[in-house]
Amino acid sequence: PRAAARAPASRAGSRARGAEPFVEVGWDEALDLVAGELARVRAQHGMRSVFGGSYGWGGAGRFHHAQSQLHRFLNTLGGFTSSRDSYSLGASHVLLPHVVGDADAVLRAASSWPTVIENTELIVAFGGIPEKNVYVTPGGVTRHSAPVALRALAGRGVRAALVSPLRTDLPEDIRARWYPVVPGSDTALMLALAHTLLTEGLHDRAFLERCTSGFGTFAAYLRGEADGAAKDAEWAAPLCEIPAADIRALARDMARSRTLVTVTWSLQRTPYGEQPVWAGLALAAMLGQIGLPGGGFGHGYGSMGDVGDNGPRLRLPTLPQGTNPVPDFIPCARIADLLLHPGEEFDYDGARYTYPDIRLVHWAGGNPFHHHQDLGRLRRAFGRPDTVIVHEPHWTATARHADIVLPATTGQEREDIGGGRRDTHLIAMRRALAPVGEARDDYAVFSALAERLATVREFTRGRTAREWLRHLYEEWRADGPAGAEGASPSARCVPDFDAFWAAGEVRLPEGPTHFTLFDAFRADPVAHPLPTPSGRIELASDTVADFGYDDCPGHPVWREPEEWPGGEAAERHPLHLIANQPESRLHSQLDVGAVSRAAKVAGREPVWLHPDDAAARGIRDGDVVRLFNDRGACLAGAVLTDAVRPRVVRLATGAWFDPLPPATAGAQAHDDPPLCVHGNPNVLTADVPASRLSQGCAGQHALVQAERWSGEAPPVTVHAPPRMVRAERRGDGGGPAPRGSEDHEPRRPAAQHVPRHPANSTEGSPR
């Protein structure tokens, strides 16, 4: 694609990151500059002042996994400030250990699809089971089992209750009733369903007594004993806009059926995102079907391809990252807070921490300008560190906000070992084409930097990339994958590396086809207790209650979000935006590619509007629409559909951030709320945490207004590289290039080793 980064490049000025041209430099010069900055920051500020980014889907290969490469390299220098949890599951990762003892017990061991297909009578799908998400798994997918399972559910006639503002969140051929809830009201509906079970005596008292802790506290909340508000169907109906009679009818149907309660990952990416997960578990527990085939609780069906998969659970051959001696960390969605507020304290999972002063950001394999919220704020945050270094195959917005961009190869341009969670095969990823331009593998880049910083032996262990592949594979083979968890006794021997590489793949041992979440625990809670304080499912947690967080107390509760229909914020911005995952790409990957671009409308990301909302604003199919709130605005292409409930708009994430440049007539200053001409919804979403407990991402929803764009819309420019300038490089051939004119000097002395070139040089083009 034209937006490929083909040669090392340096920002050609010292004003605002993201608004300046670049100049191409040689690899020796670029590596010297990066090594010099790392050495300077380490000497002057310590390695806690280096943030090791690389959050994201860096590629399918296990060895060239960008995060592993970066973290291993920084650990040889003395560590780095790290991040933990994920944007996808930040709230759940922190909450679930308090409720069931282990997040992976729910997220990685969901009841298998064959079990669900054969035993489930009713699926109550909060957030649905969107098929568009199930074709991907970290590391790749060889056998796509989830789409086949969804077809089987339809063929068997399994009933479903789709609880979502979007009708498309469940395949059309599944026998379903659509409950088009107000976005963010799922917890209120869950509580009302639970209240009906409680007051009509439909809850399983024996299961609650034997397998849960804290039900009395939760039941008192449902009755409204403390706040005077019973969480009944009449209470919930105006919140979720589902009739009270329908709520009660659904609860009764759930009680008389073998019912699977599922919650998509998307529901916890909102303010108070812990609550729908906790309330969903409590609802399933009241039904008493947790641990029964086809019943109970699931979290992530339709969110990822491996949830419900019955492939083997095997360790994959991965690159060791070493030990990070720096204790500082952030919950990953707090990156802007980290950069903007050094020294500020934050709560997290019962403890209090402090943001370190980050002077250097080293990012590889991710694109925070895709997955983070309030991009105007993130742009300001990226302007604060002394130095930003980015490894990237393409000119993403993150690369455009860097000081030094090092062009990295893609998975097609290198050798690697491919394998995903619960996948059926390990793949020999042979190189398909030569690197584009001057792109290099991250391993080659870090090896060269380690040589300059005297840690090359520790980083490489004297191995080439191919030698690492052989070493990791043979080490994995020696550990005995055939005997790993989930493998069948008849698994055949695994071939050696040469045979594997020649064959191109190795089939992994088969896993069991049928398994049920928490079946052993249900059968005997004493012999198989959960790793919680009570050994049972904690419907109320004394531990969480003792933290004293008003936004996440010790049991499931309803909290009305600040941006909520009918609230003060909705007076000016009455439409509820859902920023979910796209159909035409994985997150933002290959948004410049043909498949993603073919899905655009008017060259921009499509936005779904209900026909009534569009008519009230004079918007027609195919129009360019401006979506806006106080944080920013974006342009999108209108798609009118009744598959979205009224007063809701849907704009998927992943359109590369393309802000209108300040030099454009009518554009605002660089630090003002941005206008993204390409349709990135994260100019609109708020950079706030789910709660003080998890500090998780809450970027799924926002309130906005929409209007038809009049006149000619600004062009989308992100598909082409940024403006390049040429500058004469003097010196000994390997050192820093000279700085440009006085008005392009660095803003702070700490950046003196970063190259600054005159911005008024002759404009050039990338190699």
Side-chain angles (χ1 to χ4, degrees):
R2 293 181 60 215
R6 301 171 185 271
S10 169
R11 185 162 64 96
S14 59
R15 293 192 179 99
R17 291 188 177 106
E20 291 187 317
F22 284 80
V23 62
E24 291 184 348
V25 298
W27 267 107
D28 285 343
E29 181 178 354
L31 292 167
D32 287 344
L33 290 166
V34 173
E37 275 299 274
L38 286 164
R40 179 189 66 80
V41 171
R42 179 173 60 175
Q44 295 181 7
H45 306 287
M47 290 303 290
R48 72 189 298 261
S49 292
V50 174
F51 181 69
S54 187
Y55 173 87
W57 292 62
R62 298 299 83 207
F63 170 68
H64 287 292
H65 181 241
Q67 185 181 85
S68 299
Q69 292 282 343
L70 174 62
H71 291 178
R72 178 181 177 85
F73 166 71
L74 292 177
N75 283 336
T76 69
L77 301 181
F80 59 99
T81 291
S82 61
S83 65
R84 62 176 59 175
D85 304 327
S86 74
Y87 280 84
S88 297
L89 282 163
S92 296
H93 275 156
V94 179
L95 172 73
L96 286 172
H98 294 293
V99 181
V100 297
D102 178 14
D104 280 354
V106 171
L107 299 173
R108 302 286 172 256
S111 299
S112 69
W113 278 120
T115 301
V116 172
I117 292 165
E118 294 173 18
N119 297 281
T120 303
E121 296 173 330
L122 173 65
I123 298 176
V124 181
F126 292 93
I129 306 177
E131 187 174 1
K132 63 184 173 58
N133 298 339
V134 301
Y135 294 93
V136 295
T137 297
V141 183
T142 304
R143 178 193 64 186
H144 293 281
S145 61
V148 176
L150 292 173
R151 300 288 83 75
L153 286 174
R156 186 172 166 269
V158 174
R159 294 178 294 116
L162 169 60
V163 183
S164 171
L166 306 177
R167 176 60 185 87
T168 55
D169 275 342
L170 199 69
E172 289 186 359
D173 52 355
I174 290 180
R175 181 183 166 197
R177 177 171 178 179
W178 182 24
Y179 295 83
V181 295
V182 173
S185 68
D186 302 80
T187 299
L189 177 56
M190 293 174 185
L191 294 174
L193 292 168
H195 183 275
T196 300
L197 297 178
L198 176 67
T199 57
E200 296 189 5
L202 300 176
H203 56 302
D204 189 329
R205 296 178 180 83
F207 178 86
L208 291 167
E209 176 68 25
R210 194 167 62 95
C211 295
T212 74
S213 172
F215 176 68
T217 300
F218 181 56
Y221 175 74
L222 293 177
R223 296 188 188 100
E225 294 180 7
D227 59 10
K231 311 308 179 292
D232 58 17
E234 283 74 18
W235 166 84
L239 296 173
C240 61
E241 297 188 2
I242 302 297
D246 291 350
I247 295 174
R248 291 195 178 91
L250 177 58
R252 295 162 186 157
D253 193 8
M254 294 169 69
R256 62 174 171 260
S257 306
R258 180 60 59 89
T259 300
L260 177 64
V261 177
T262 74
V263 178
T264 61
W265 294 354
S266 60
L267 298 192
Q268 51 88 65
R269 290 196 295 270
T270 60
Y272 318 118
E274 298 85 359
Q275 301 311 316
V277 180
W278 207 346
L281 258 166
L283 180 60
M286 290 181 69
L287 292 170
Q289 299 182 27
I290 292 176
L292 292 179
F297 179 75
H299 188 26
Y301 292 100
S303 297
M304 187 70 71
D306 65 329
V307 178
D309 196 353
N310 57 287
R313 297 181 68 186
L314 304 178
R315 183 187 74 82
L316 297 170
T318 55
L319 179 70
Q321 297 184 16
T323 301
N324 183 3
V326 174
D328 297 275
F329 72 93
I330 61 165
C332 68
R334 304 271 57 82
I335 173 65
D337 289 349
L338 166 72
L339 299 180
L340 289 170
H341 301 298
E344 186 173 289
E345 294 184 332
F346 66 96
D347 292 301
Y348 174 76
D349 200 16
R352 200 156 178 82
Y353 301 91
T354 302
Y355 293 121
D357 186 4
I358 298 300
R359 298 304 185 101
L360 184 148
V361 173
H362 201 152
W363 210 290
N367 182 13
F369 280 85
H370 153 64
H371 52 245
H372 198 68
Q373 286 65 61
D374 195 347
L375 295 184
R377 184 172 187 258
L378 182 66
R379 184 162 61 173
R380 293 192 296 275
F382 259 65
R384 188 189 174 278
D386 299 345
T387 309
V388 177
I389 301 160
V390 170
H391 300 214
E392 179 57 59
H394 302 286
W395 279 108
T396 64
T398 302
R400 294 168 197 253
H401 285 78
D403 295 305
I404 301 173
V405 179
L406 304 177
T409 55
T410 65
Q412 290 73 34
E413 298 166 288
R414 58 196 182 216
E415 295 181 339
D416 213 330
I417 298 172
R421 294 193 306 236
R422 302 207 88 133
D423 204 2
T424 56
H425 291 72
L426 204 65
I427 305 298
M429 296 174 60
R430 304 189 185 104
R431 195 176 82 168
L433 68 158
V436 173
E438 299 179 27
R440 295 185 181 181
D441 298 345
D442 289 322
Y443 180 67
V445 173
F446 289 128
S447 297
L449 291 172
E451 186 171 3
R452 286 164 168 79
L453 294 165
T455 62
V456 65
R457 183 68 188 176
E458 187 177 355
F459 177 73
T460 68
R461 297 296 185 189
R463 298 187 182 104
T464 65
R466 169 61 80 89
E467 289 168 344
W468 266 111
L469 298 184
R470 180 183 296 275
H471 170 77
L472 295 175
Y473 179 90
E474 292 295 355
E475 184 180 57
W476 168 81
R477 178 172 170 256
D479 284 347
E485 180 185 355
S488 64
S490 61
R492 58 189 174 86
C493 295
V494 178
D496 64 17
F497 178 80
D498 290 331
F500 158 67
W501 200 257
E505 65 180 30
V506 58
R507 186 172 182 86
L508 299 176
E510 293 289 340
T513 57
H514 294 72
F515 48 86
T516 299
L517 177 65
F518 295 138
D519 55 350
F521 163 72
R522 177 193 179 89
D524 192 338
V526 176
H528 303 284
L530 301 180
T532 60
S534 65
R536 294 177 285 179
I537 300 170
E538 305 236 334
L539 304 184
S541 167
D542 291 339
T543 301
V544 175
D546 289 345
F547 294 159
Y549 299 146
D550 57 353
D551 54 6
C552 189
H555 58 81
V557 297
W558 165 251
R559 292 285 187 267
E560 184 174 298
E562 182 177 344
E563 296 195 24
W564 178 253
E568 183 177 337
E571 293 179 6
R572 291 188 301 121
H573 305 120
L575 299 176
H576 205 131
L577 168 70
I578 296 178
N580 64 355
Q581 297 297 337
E583 294 94 345
S584 57
R585 58 186 172 268
L586 170 58
H587 300 306
S588 68
Q589 286 192 21
L590 297 181
D591 186 43
V592 293
V595 173
S596 183
R597 292 177 72 171
K600 306 289 184 179
V601 175
R604 301 158 215 277
E605 194 65 18
V607 56
W608 296 3
L609 302 99
H610 191 276
D612 293 347
D613 296 320
R617 293 163 175 79
I619 297 171
R620 296 171 298 181
D621 245 350
D623 282 348
V624 174
V625 175
R626 177 176 174 259
L627 302 172
F628 62 93
N629 58 22
D630 294 336
R631 289 179 288 271
C634 66
L635 302 184
V639 175
L640 275 54
T641 174
D642 59 6
V644 58
R645 63 163 282 144
R647 302 187 308 281
V648 168
V649 295
R650 182 260 186 175
L651 180 64
T653 63
W656 284 10
F657 180 47
D658 194 3
L660 198 65
T664 303
Q668 298 172 306
H670 185 74
D671 287 341
D672 286 345
L675 168 63
C676 175
V677 302
H678 194 202
N680 188 316
N682 279 327
V683 299
L684 305 164
T685 53
D687 187 10
V688 296
S691 76
R692 293 160 63 196
L693 176 75
S694 69
Q695 297 287 343
C697 168
Q700 187 82 8
H701 297 167
L703 290 182
V704 302
Q705 181 57 290
E707 64 182 11
R708 183 176 179 272
W709 182 270
S710 59
E712 185 177 354
V716 174
T717 63
V718 75
H719 299 136
R723 187 166 66 91
M724 292 288 171
V725 297
R726 291 199 176 100
E728 295 295 330
R729 297 212 301 256
R730 301 185 296 272
D732 60 7
R739 300 191 190 102
S741 57
E742 182 65 25
D743 65 338
H744 287 87
E745 287 291 307
R747 290 177 294 164
R748 48 179 68 88
Q752 61 185 337
H753 295 286
V754 180
R756 310 296 185 194
H757 300 282
N760 57 359
S761 302
T762 303
E763 182 173 345
S765 60
R767 299 175 193 173

